[in-house]
Amino acid sequence: MSESIRIWLAVSYAAPFRTGGWCYVRSAGTLVSGAAGGDRRIGEQRLPLQGLLAALKDVPAGDAVELVTNDPLLASIPRVLSPEPGDEPPSEDLDLWAAVTTAFRDRRIRIARQAPAPGKPLAFAVAWAEQAREKAKGGSFVFAIPKPNLAKAGA
């Protein structure tokens, strides 16, 4: 039986500068992990897809995943992957959409859109995503969030 995993994923994008950051906190039983990353000169759609793929990177196939986010694009992924008649398919970032399609096919992923609440993991992820957006002005990066910081995430 696969283990249920909960992921809180936040994205922060500055459209005028095309810089953005993302952060995820992942809880699997008693194990809590997380990472933040960002990039400059990145598209508004590409950024959350990169964050999602990073968050799912080492989640085993077959596992159940609950993804909690406040990002509208991430929340709309199930509809994009199973479009209604007349819906337009993605026309950009097709490499990432292909990877997302594979990730969703290999795992049971349920997405919940929430507003961040103080002291909760999504608020922690939002704060780190904003910091990552600022750090991304210097270029692309990804780093693990230190365990002492994750202890404050509320996961």
Side-chain angles (χ1 to χ4, degrees), residues 17-20 38-43 133 136-141:
F17 307 108
R18 296 194 63 205
T19 60
D39 205 348
R40 64 179 179 179
R41 292 192 234 32
I42 188 167
R133 181 195 67 221
K137 291 177 181 175
S140 179
F141 75 96

Side-chain angles (χ1 to χ4, degrees), residues 45 73 76-77 79-92 94 97:
Q45 174 178 267
L73 175 72
S76 71
I77 285 177
R79 200 177 98 199
V80 172
L81 297 180
S82 298
E84 296 287 323
D87 285 351
E88 291 291 322
S91 59
E92 298 176 357
L94 297 179
W97 279 111

